mmCIF file of all heavy atoms in Angstrom:
data_model
loop_
_atom_site.group_PDB
_atom_site.id
_atom_site.type_symbol
_atom_site.label_atom_id
_atom_site.label_comp_id
_atom_site.label_asym_id
_atom_site.label_seq_id
_atom_site.Cartn_x
_atom_site.Cartn_y
_atom_site.Cartn_z
ATOM 1 N N PRO A 66 50.488 -58.396 -100.302
ATOM 2 C CA PRO A 66 50.546 -56.924 -100.266
ATOM 3 C C PRO A 66 51.860 -56.394 -100.673
ATOM 4 O O PRO A 66 52.923 -57.088 -100.578
ATOM 5 C CB PRO A 66 50.274 -56.728 -98.783
ATOM 6 C CG PRO A 66 50.856 -57.891 -98.117
ATOM 7 C CD PRO A 66 50.577 -59.054 -98.980
ATOM 8 N N THR A 67 51.826 -55.170 -101.264
ATOM 9 C CA THR A 67 53.104 -54.482 -101.517
ATOM 10 C C THR A 67 53.651 -54.003 -100.101
ATOM 11 O O THR A 67 52.962 -54.041 -99.162
ATOM 12 C CB THR A 67 52.898 -53.231 -102.396
ATOM 13 O OG1 THR A 67 52.030 -52.298 -101.714
ATOM 14 C CG2 THR A 67 52.168 -53.708 -103.708
ATOM 15 N N ASP A 68 54.916 -53.541 -100.180
ATOM 16 C CA ASP A 68 55.528 -53.133 -98.923
ATOM 17 C C ASP A 68 54.640 -51.880 -98.393
ATOM 18 O O ASP A 68 54.342 -51.817 -97.101
ATOM 19 C CB ASP A 68 56.975 -52.559 -99.207
ATOM 20 C CG ASP A 68 57.940 -53.708 -99.307
ATOM 21 O OD1 ASP A 68 57.467 -54.966 -99.016
ATOM 22 O OD2 ASP A 68 58.941 -53.497 -99.921
ATOM 23 N N ASP A 69 54.214 -50.991 -99.178
ATOM 24 C CA ASP A 69 53.470 -49.732 -98.768
ATOM 25 C C ASP A 69 52.014 -50.241 -98.178
ATOM 26 O O ASP A 69 51.589 -49.824 -97.285
ATOM 27 C CB ASP A 69 53.223 -48.916 -99.818
ATOM 28 C CG ASP A 69 54.398 -48.035 -100.185
ATOM 29 O OD1 ASP A 69 55.448 -48.015 -99.314
ATOM 30 O OD2 ASP A 69 54.515 -47.426 -101.322
ATOM 31 N N GLU A 70 51.507 -51.167 -98.967
ATOM 32 C CA GLU A 70 50.158 -51.816 -98.446
ATOM 33 C C GLU A 70 50.288 -52.464 -97.013
ATOM 34 O O GLU A 70 49.482 -52.246 -96.156
ATOM 35 C CB GLU A 70 49.504 -52.701 -99.432
ATOM 36 C CG GLU A 70 49.053 -52.080 -100.695
ATOM 37 C CD GLU A 70 48.650 -53.099 -101.805
ATOM 38 O OE1 GLU A 70 49.192 -54.297 -101.790
ATOM 39 O OE2 GLU A 70 47.792 -52.641 -102.576
ATOM 40 N N LEU A 71 51.357 -53.229 -96.908
ATOM 41 C CA LEU A 71 51.592 -53.899 -95.628
ATOM 42 C C LEU A 71 51.909 -52.883 -94.495
ATOM 43 O O LEU A 71 51.284 -52.992 -93.428
ATOM 44 C CB LEU A 71 52.756 -54.868 -95.799
ATOM 45 C CG LEU A 71 53.027 -55.786 -94.496
ATOM 46 C CD1 LEU A 71 51.750 -56.618 -94.158
ATOM 47 C CD2 LEU A 71 54.223 -56.688 -94.723
ATOM 48 N N ASN A 72 52.757 -51.965 -94.714
ATOM 49 C CA ASN A 72 53.038 -50.926 -93.756
ATOM 50 C C ASN A 72 51.899 -50.193 -93.367
ATOM 51 O O ASN A 72 51.603 -49.846 -92.167
ATOM 52 C CB ASN A 72 54.140 -49.944 -94.313
ATOM 53 C CG ASN A 72 55.469 -50.589 -94.329
ATOM 54 O OD1 ASN A 72 55.783 -51.683 -93.720
ATOM 55 N ND2 ASN A 72 56.307 -50.095 -95.260
ATOM 56 N N THR A 73 51.016 -49.842 -94.287
ATOM 57 C CA THR A 73 49.809 -49.066 -93.907
ATOM 58 C C THR A 73 48.847 -49.979 -93.097
ATOM 59 O O THR A 73 48.200 -49.457 -92.176
ATOM 60 C CB THR A 73 48.944 -48.575 -95.234
ATOM 61 O OG1 THR A 73 49.828 -47.809 -95.908
ATOM 62 C CG2 THR A 73 47.692 -47.914 -94.883
ATOM 63 N N TYR A 74 48.728 -51.235 -93.496
ATOM 64 C CA TYR A 74 47.854 -52.108 -92.776
ATOM 65 C C TYR A 74 48.366 -52.276 -91.275
ATOM 66 O O TYR A 74 47.657 -52.276 -90.396
ATOM 67 C CB TYR A 74 47.825 -53.470 -93.493
ATOM 68 C CG TYR A 74 47.111 -54.534 -92.764
ATOM 69 C CD1 TYR A 74 45.567 -54.528 -92.898
ATOM 70 C CD2 TYR A 74 47.679 -55.573 -92.063
ATOM 71 C CE1 TYR A 74 44.827 -55.492 -92.254
ATOM 72 C CE2 TYR A 74 46.900 -56.616 -91.467
ATOM 73 C CZ TYR A 74 45.479 -56.512 -91.516
ATOM 74 O OH TYR A 74 44.774 -57.549 -90.884
ATOM 75 N N ILE A 75 49.674 -52.398 -91.172
ATOM 76 C CA ILE A 75 50.214 -52.639 -89.811
ATOM 77 C C ILE A 75 49.987 -51.356 -88.910
ATOM 78 O O ILE A 75 49.523 -51.439 -87.790
ATOM 79 C CB ILE A 75 51.826 -52.782 -89.825
ATOM 80 C CG1 ILE A 75 52.152 -54.225 -90.450
ATOM 81 C CG2 ILE A 75 52.429 -52.572 -88.522
ATOM 82 C CD1 ILE A 75 53.569 -54.412 -90.759
ATOM 83 N N ASP A 76 50.139 -50.120 -89.483
ATOM 84 C CA ASP A 76 49.952 -48.917 -88.764
ATOM 85 C C ASP A 76 48.521 -48.639 -88.468
ATOM 86 O O ASP A 76 48.057 -48.267 -87.316
ATOM 87 C CB ASP A 76 50.508 -47.762 -89.461
ATOM 88 C CG ASP A 76 52.002 -47.669 -89.488
ATOM 89 O OD1 ASP A 76 52.698 -48.630 -88.859
ATOM 90 O OD2 ASP A 76 52.673 -46.994 -90.384
ATOM 91 N N ASP A 77 47.628 -48.704 -89.529
ATOM 92 C CA ASP A 77 46.261 -48.302 -89.348
ATOM 93 C C ASP A 77 45.272 -49.311 -88.923
ATOM 94 O O ASP A 77 44.171 -49.014 -88.472
ATOM 95 C CB ASP A 77 45.636 -47.798 -90.769
ATOM 96 C CG ASP A 77 46.553 -46.573 -91.154
ATOM 97 O OD1 ASP A 77 47.193 -45.888 -90.422
ATOM 98 O OD2 ASP A 77 46.453 -46.168 -92.366
ATOM 99 N N THR A 78 45.666 -50.671 -88.968
ATOM 100 C CA THR A 78 44.831 -51.589 -88.455
ATOM 101 C C THR A 78 45.245 -52.420 -87.294
ATOM 102 O O THR A 78 44.705 -52.381 -86.208
ATOM 103 C CB THR A 78 44.458 -52.695 -89.635
ATOM 104 O OG1 THR A 78 43.878 -51.982 -90.697
ATOM 105 C CG2 THR A 78 43.553 -53.773 -89.163
ATOM 106 N N LEU A 79 46.462 -53.063 -87.426
ATOM 107 C CA LEU A 79 47.007 -53.864 -86.263
ATOM 108 C C LEU A 79 47.443 -53.084 -85.089
ATOM 109 O O LEU A 79 46.988 -53.198 -84.022
ATOM 110 C CB LEU A 79 48.162 -54.703 -86.783
ATOM 111 C CG LEU A 79 47.824 -55.706 -87.895
ATOM 112 C CD1 LEU A 79 49.042 -56.608 -88.217
ATOM 113 C CD2 LEU A 79 46.657 -56.728 -87.409
ATOM 114 N N ILE A 80 48.337 -52.073 -85.416
ATOM 115 C CA ILE A 80 48.780 -51.283 -84.204
ATOM 116 C C ILE A 80 47.736 -50.323 -83.630
ATOM 117 O O ILE A 80 47.520 -50.337 -82.404
ATOM 118 C CB ILE A 80 50.122 -50.490 -84.689
ATOM 119 C CG1 ILE A 80 51.210 -51.374 -84.923
ATOM 120 C CG2 ILE A 80 50.387 -49.370 -83.703
ATOM 121 C CD1 ILE A 80 52.465 -50.775 -85.464
ATOM 122 N N LYS A 81 47.099 -49.737 -84.536
ATOM 123 C CA LYS A 81 46.088 -48.723 -84.074
ATOM 124 C C LYS A 81 44.874 -49.388 -83.205
ATOM 125 O O LYS A 81 44.487 -48.783 -82.239
ATOM 126 C CB LYS A 81 45.487 -47.915 -85.330
ATOM 127 C CG LYS A 81 44.419 -46.891 -84.827
ATOM 128 C CD LYS A 81 43.784 -46.066 -86.093
ATOM 129 C CE LYS A 81 42.851 -45.114 -85.675
ATOM 130 N NZ LYS A 81 42.471 -44.349 -86.889
ATOM 131 N N ASN A 82 44.599 -50.613 -83.576
ATOM 132 C CA ASN A 82 43.462 -51.292 -82.947
ATOM 133 C C ASN A 82 43.942 -52.118 -81.750
ATOM 134 O O ASN A 82 43.054 -52.629 -81.006
ATOM 135 C CB ASN A 82 42.749 -52.126 -83.927
ATOM 136 C CG ASN A 82 41.932 -51.325 -84.916
ATOM 137 O OD1 ASN A 82 41.568 -50.127 -84.700
ATOM 138 N ND2 ASN A 82 41.816 -51.826 -86.089
ATOM 139 N N THR A 83 45.257 -52.223 -81.522
ATOM 140 C CA THR A 83 45.692 -52.999 -80.471
ATOM 141 C C THR A 83 46.595 -52.204 -79.480
ATOM 142 O O THR A 83 46.311 -52.327 -78.225
ATOM 143 C CB THR A 83 46.588 -54.189 -81.138
ATOM 144 O OG1 THR A 83 45.800 -54.986 -81.903
ATOM 145 C CG2 THR A 83 47.071 -55.169 -79.869
ATOM 146 N N ALA A 84 47.626 -51.646 -79.998
ATOM 147 C CA ALA A 84 48.496 -50.968 -78.985
ATOM 148 C C ALA A 84 49.143 -49.734 -79.703
ATOM 149 O O ALA A 84 50.251 -49.859 -80.186
ATOM 150 C CB ALA A 84 49.592 -51.938 -78.392
ATOM 151 N N PRO A 85 48.432 -48.698 -79.874
ATOM 152 C CA PRO A 85 49.008 -47.645 -80.660
ATOM 153 C C PRO A 85 50.183 -46.868 -80.066
ATOM 154 O O PRO A 85 50.830 -46.065 -80.813
ATOM 155 C CB PRO A 85 47.736 -46.633 -80.613
ATOM 156 C CG PRO A 85 46.895 -46.994 -79.544
ATOM 157 C CD PRO A 85 47.152 -48.484 -79.258
ATOM 158 N N TYR A 86 50.492 -47.168 -78.792
ATOM 159 C CA TYR A 86 51.613 -46.437 -78.168
ATOM 160 C C TYR A 86 52.510 -47.452 -77.580
ATOM 161 O O TYR A 86 52.118 -48.383 -77.090
ATOM 162 C CB TYR A 86 51.140 -45.387 -77.121
ATOM 163 C CG TYR A 86 50.401 -44.264 -77.757
ATOM 164 C CD1 TYR A 86 49.018 -44.387 -77.787
ATOM 165 C CD2 TYR A 86 51.027 -43.123 -78.206
ATOM 166 C CE1 TYR A 86 48.280 -43.333 -78.442
ATOM 167 C CE2 TYR A 86 50.252 -42.103 -78.893
ATOM 168 C CZ TYR A 86 48.905 -42.191 -78.903
ATOM 169 O OH TYR A 86 48.230 -41.214 -79.574
ATOM 170 N N MET A 87 53.865 -47.080 -77.677
ATOM 171 C CA MET A 87 54.836 -47.877 -76.901
ATOM 172 C C MET A 87 55.718 -47.047 -76.053
ATOM 173 O O MET A 87 55.599 -45.788 -76.074
ATOM 174 C CB MET A 87 55.908 -48.542 -77.944
ATOM 175 C CG MET A 87 56.535 -47.544 -78.827
ATOM 176 S SD MET A 87 57.871 -48.376 -79.769
ATOM 177 C CE MET A 87 56.925 -49.553 -80.709
ATOM 178 N N ALA A 88 56.450 -47.588 -75.160
ATOM 179 C CA ALA A 88 57.284 -46.825 -74.204
ATOM 180 C C ALA A 88 58.362 -45.940 -74.944
ATOM 181 O O ALA A 88 59.058 -46.546 -75.748
ATOM 182 C CB ALA A 88 57.932 -47.682 -73.157
ATOM 183 N N ASP A 89 58.387 -44.711 -74.526
ATOM 184 C CA ASP A 89 59.461 -43.709 -75.088
ATOM 185 C C ASP A 89 60.577 -43.780 -74.013
ATOM 186 O O ASP A 89 60.443 -43.211 -72.870
ATOM 187 C CB ASP A 89 58.965 -42.366 -75.152
ATOM 188 C CG ASP A 89 59.883 -41.397 -75.685
ATOM 189 O OD1 ASP A 89 61.035 -41.691 -75.763
ATOM 190 O OD2 ASP A 89 59.458 -40.345 -76.158
ATOM 191 N N PRO A 90 61.670 -44.432 -74.388
ATOM 192 C CA PRO A 90 62.728 -44.707 -73.413
ATOM 193 C C PRO A 90 63.434 -43.302 -72.925
ATOM 194 O O PRO A 90 64.208 -43.243 -71.928
ATOM 195 C CB PRO A 90 63.765 -45.565 -74.121
ATOM 196 C CG PRO A 90 63.476 -45.315 -75.560
ATOM 197 C CD PRO A 90 61.980 -45.110 -75.687
ATOM 198 N N SER A 91 63.183 -42.193 -73.715
ATOM 199 C CA SER A 91 63.805 -40.948 -73.447
ATOM 200 C C SER A 91 63.064 -40.142 -72.377
ATOM 201 O O SER A 91 63.647 -39.161 -71.970
ATOM 202 C CB SER A 91 63.990 -40.161 -74.735
ATOM 203 O OG SER A 91 62.714 -39.658 -75.194
ATOM 204 N N LYS A 92 61.908 -40.713 -71.973
ATOM 205 C CA LYS A 92 61.090 -39.884 -71.117
ATOM 206 C C LYS A 92 60.756 -40.693 -69.704
ATOM 207 O O LYS A 92 60.367 -41.846 -69.931
ATOM 208 C CB LYS A 92 59.718 -39.421 -71.747
ATOM 209 C CG LYS A 92 59.984 -38.481 -72.793
ATOM 210 C CD LYS A 92 58.576 -37.889 -73.382
ATOM 211 C CE LYS A 92 58.753 -36.949 -74.388
ATOM 212 N NZ LYS A 92 57.391 -36.386 -74.889
ATOM 213 N N THR A 93 61.016 -40.033 -68.650
ATOM 214 C CA THR A 93 60.659 -40.672 -67.333
ATOM 215 C C THR A 93 59.653 -39.798 -66.536
ATOM 216 O O THR A 93 59.019 -40.397 -65.609
ATOM 217 C CB THR A 93 61.857 -40.944 -66.543
ATOM 218 O OG1 THR A 93 62.660 -39.693 -66.341
ATOM 219 C CG2 THR A 93 62.829 -41.854 -67.303
ATOM 220 N N VAL A 94 59.572 -38.507 -66.852
ATOM 221 C CA VAL A 94 58.700 -37.609 -66.000
ATOM 222 C C VAL A 94 57.636 -37.079 -66.953
ATOM 223 O O VAL A 94 57.824 -36.656 -67.966
ATOM 224 C CB VAL A 94 59.509 -36.490 -65.411
ATOM 225 C CG1 VAL A 94 58.620 -35.508 -64.685
ATOM 226 C CG2 VAL A 94 60.664 -37.031 -64.558
ATOM 227 N N ILE A 95 56.433 -37.189 -66.356
ATOM 228 C CA ILE A 95 55.282 -36.805 -67.143
ATOM 229 C C ILE A 95 55.107 -35.258 -67.394
ATOM 230 O O ILE A 95 55.213 -34.562 -66.308
ATOM 231 C CB ILE A 95 53.974 -37.298 -66.450
ATOM 232 C CG1 ILE A 95 53.956 -38.891 -66.402
ATOM 233 C CG2 ILE A 95 52.652 -36.873 -67.322
ATOM 234 C CD1 ILE A 95 52.642 -39.494 -65.605
ATOM 235 N N GLY A 96 54.957 -34.832 -68.584
ATOM 236 C CA GLY A 96 54.780 -33.402 -68.902
ATOM 237 C C GLY A 96 53.329 -33.289 -69.271
ATOM 238 O O GLY A 96 52.544 -34.131 -69.597
ATOM 239 N N GLU A 97 52.974 -31.948 -69.489
ATOM 240 C CA GLU A 97 51.569 -31.500 -69.804
ATOM 241 C C GLU A 97 51.155 -32.116 -71.076
ATOM 242 O O GLU A 97 49.883 -32.214 -71.341
ATOM 243 C CB GLU A 97 51.546 -30.055 -69.680
ATOM 244 C CG GLU A 97 51.660 -29.478 -68.279
ATOM 245 C CD GLU A 97 51.368 -27.987 -68.322
ATOM 246 O OE1 GLU A 97 51.270 -27.348 -69.362
ATOM 247 O OE2 GLU A 97 51.404 -27.470 -67.213
ATOM 248 N N ASP A 98 52.023 -32.323 -72.131
ATOM 249 C CA ASP A 98 51.666 -32.714 -73.434
ATOM 250 C C ASP A 98 51.940 -34.274 -73.658
ATOM 251 O O ASP A 98 51.706 -34.570 -74.864
ATOM 252 C CB ASP A 98 52.453 -31.949 -74.542
ATOM 253 C CG ASP A 98 52.124 -30.414 -74.422
ATOM 254 O OD1 ASP A 98 51.047 -30.088 -74.069
ATOM 255 O OD2 ASP A 98 53.056 -29.665 -74.668
#
Side-chain angles (χ1 to χ4, degrees):
T67 65
D68 288 345
D69 287 343
E70 288 173 335
L71 182 60
N72 290 338
T73 298
Y74 179 76
I75 289 172
D76 291 345
D77 294 347
T78 300
L79 296 181
I80 288 177
K81 184 177 180 179
N82 293 329
T83 304
Y86 295 92
M87 61 169 58
D89 184 343
S91 69
K92 291 185 176 181
T93 58
V94 179
I95 298 174
E97 293 181 352
D98 296 325

